[in-house]
Amino acid sequence: QALGISIEDKGPLHIVPAPIAQFEELGVLPAYVLEALRKCGITAPLPIQSQALPLVLSGCDVVGIAQTGSGKTLAFLLPAIVHIEAQQPIPRGCIQPIALILAPTRELAVQIVEEAWKVLRGSKSGRHSNGVWATAVYGGGKKHQQLRELQYGSEIVAATPGRLIDFLTQQSMSLDRVTYLVLDEADRMLEQGFAEDVANISGQVRPERQVLFFSATWSSEVQMLASGLCHRSSRPVRISVGQ
Ligand code: ADP
Ligand code: MG
């Protein structure tokens, strides 16, 4: 698979870290994550992971253009866990995620948290005594059930825009602690008509957040959405896998 890496032309030069061949090379993944990856038979990073992981961990905003099945989920989940482990845990009863992942469909939101659970099962042995946890928030699911799960203290939330806005409007949830914002399958997000909702949500996240933006295509509409989200002084690094 051809792997191209390109840097947006206008911003200051990034020092692009070398791609990794092994997850251990990152040096910052908690032991429980490395063990969980091994147990799941995930032995080596896929191309987008070997490029994106060191970049994301260096604090850059990253735009990843890659097809389904290329391994984007772990590319944003693993750095999210490192980011969270470095902070104080969310107190019980407090619904204040640190990493917010926006997804266009319920199925995708659920798939993302299931991928997260695979690597988080051992997280009680990490710095957070109750473990780092992930919760899916989506329309159609029972609200009170999702809220109860969130109240156990979920640092990672994968959400569809509609239900998330619902929770924000009811003030059931606060985005004050979100410093890591992911937009997954941005092209499908636009197809579903979520552009305005995404802008509304990202407007409630502090401006100096780190942004990871993923899409299968790079149309002008997708580019516009990306530039609306990645507005820190440094420009996003763009990684393309395939054509
Ligand atoms: P995408 O989001 O790009 O569509 P996913 O992140 O959902 O792709 O990954 C597709 C599948 O590949 C998942 O089942 C995931 O567990 C698996 N996977 C991810 N990374 C690796 C890896 N490094 N080695 C083997 N399998 C992997
Ligand atoms: Mg995906």
Side-chain angles (χ1 to χ4, degrees):
Q1 209 167 13
L3 179 65
I5 183 158
S6 59
I7 300 168
E8 274 202 359
D9 43 3
K10 286 195 199 105
L13 257 189
H14 290 284
I15 295 170
V16 177
I20 53 154
Q22 296 295 328
F23 291 109
E24 286 80 1
E25 279 173 52
L26 294 168
V28 289
L29 293 182
Y32 70 82
V33 169
L34 291 170
E35 198 188 319
L37 290 173
R38 261 194 307 274
K39 280 189 180 153
C40 295
I42 297 178
T43 50
L46 295 172
I48 190 149
Q49 295 164 355
S50 51
Q51 288 284 1
L53 287 169
L55 269 169
V56 176
L57 285 165
S58 75
C60 294
D61 286 352
V62 171
V63 170
I65 317 293
Q67 291 302 323
T68 316
S70 51
K72 296 182 291 268
T73 317
L74 287 179
F76 62 73
L77 281 177
L78 299 181
I81 295 168
V82 173
H83 182 75
I84 290 160
E85 285 284 356
Q87 296 184 45
Q88 287 300 314
I90 303 286
R92 278 267 161 103
C94 200
I95 309 185
Q96 286 197 320
I98 295 172
L100 176 64
I101 300 147
L102 299 178
T105 64
R106 164 198 184 135
E107 289 72 27
L108 186 59
V110 168
Q111 214 178 303
I112 291 166
V113 300
E114 283 174 353
E115 192 82 352
W117 292 344
K118 282 198 217 164
V119 284
L120 287 175
R121 287 196 197 289
S123 78
K124 283 190 194 337
S125 57
R127 213 177 138 263
H128 292 199
S129 54
N130 288 322
V132 175
W133 205 238
T135 300
V137 159
Y138 50 84
K142 289 203 176 93
K143 272 191 191 176
H144 63 89
Q145 211 170 314
Q146 291 176 7
L147 285 172
R148 203 171 43 224
E149 205 183 319
L150 288 165
Q151 267 158 357
Y152 281 112
S154 211
E155 292 81 3
I156 301 175
V157 167
T160 54
R163 176 57 59 90
L164 180 66
I165 288 177
D166 234 23
F167 283 168
L168 294 171
T169 311
Q170 290 169 200
Q171 298 187 308
S172 310
M173 187 172 177
S174 151
L175 301 185
D176 288 354
R177 260 191 91 163
V178 174
T179 42
Y180 190 95
L181 179 64
V182 181
L183 193 64
D184 200 12
E185 306 212 358
D187 43 352
R188 288 178 65 201
M189 200 70 107
L190 290 175
E191 280 166 24
Q192 310 262 349
F194 283 137
E196 216 169 291
D197 286 349
V198 168
N200 173 354
I201 294 162
S202 74
Q204 298 188 48
V205 176
R206 61 173 76 180
E208 70 276 21
R209 73 269 173 128
Q210 184 176 12
V211 176
L212 296 319
F213 184 99
F214 295 92
S215 180
T217 60
W218 193 231
S219 66
S220 54
E221 289 84 3
V222 172
Q223 289 175 41
M224 217 153 73
L225 189 64
S227 64
L229 288 187
C230 309
H231 57 193
R232 298 190 304 176
S233 55
S234 60
R235 293 279 163 160
V237 177
R238 198 165 78 221
I239 301 173
S240 323
V241 175
Q243 292 101 338

